[in-house]
Amino acid sequence: MARSGGPVRHMVFCRFRNEVTPARRLAFFEQIRRLTEVPGIAFTNFQCGPNVSPEGYGMTLSDGFMMDFASRDDCFAYLAHPTHQAIGARLLEVLEDGARSLLVFDIDLETHEKPSGKTRPVLHQYRNTGPSGAPQPYD
């Protein structure tokens, strides 16, 4: 069967209720990771964890996970699978405001805009500067 669409990165961000322990959060993510063992579900690059960004723009979302699918069809098969739906339903029950505490975002990895070659030099320009903007030696 030919796959439609290119590779997709599926990202999910959520806000658990305060009483949901880090161990229980990790258990949900482990259940999702183990879905790759289910026939008909295939993804790679699974990563999960708490939001550690110091920027403060996380919209109160505390945790998240992501994975890559080889095609849109593979992503849709995962989303439609009854085991995924059961885990998702249990996840919604432990979120602060149910589905309102959930953000799902998929990126088409084949056709999304890619940064120009100028991105790395600009980042490099500021990577090793101190508070004054003066270059700092490498650690």
Side-chain angles (χ1 to χ4, degrees), residues 8-99:
V8 173
R9 177 157 297 146
H10 178 70
M11 298 172 285
V12 177
F13 307 102
C14 56
R15 180 176 61 249
F16 287 96
R17 293 191 320 248
N18 289 333
E19 66 269 16
V20 180
T21 65
R24 189 160 176 219
R25 296 171 191 203
L26 188 58
F28 273 106
F29 296 148
E30 179 62 15
Q31 289 176 27
I32 294 164
R33 184 197 63 77
R34 293 193 65 196
L35 285 171
T36 60
E37 300 169 8
V38 174
I41 296 180
F43 56 82
T44 60
N45 194 31
F46 182 83
Q47 298 176 12
C48 65
N51 181 4
V52 296
S53 174
E55 294 180 292
Y57 297 115
M59 299 172 30
T60 72
L61 301 171
S62 59
D63 295 84
F65 65 91
M66 65 173 230
M67 70 268 277
D68 294 341
F69 292 91
S71 70
R72 288 183 189 169
D73 285 348
D74 288 343
C75 185
F76 294 153
Y78 159 81
L79 295 173
H81 197 282
T83 305
H84 164 264
Q85 291 185 359
I87 294 169
R90 288 192 307 272
L91 177 65
L92 288 176
E93 293 172 0
V94 297
L95 296 182
E96 185 67 36
D97 293 313

Side-chain angles (χ1 to χ4, degrees), residues 101-131:
S101 295
L102 186 69
L103 172 65
V104 178
F105 201 94
D106 294 341
I107 295 176
D108 183 333
L109 295 177
E110 192 169 81
T111 61
H112 76 282
E113 292 184 31
K114 295 175 177 64
S116 70
K118 296 180 181 180
T119 301
R120 186 168 298 278
V122 169
L123 290 174
H124 179 71
Q125 176 182 352
Y126 297 101
R127 181 181 302 147
N128 297 307
T129 60

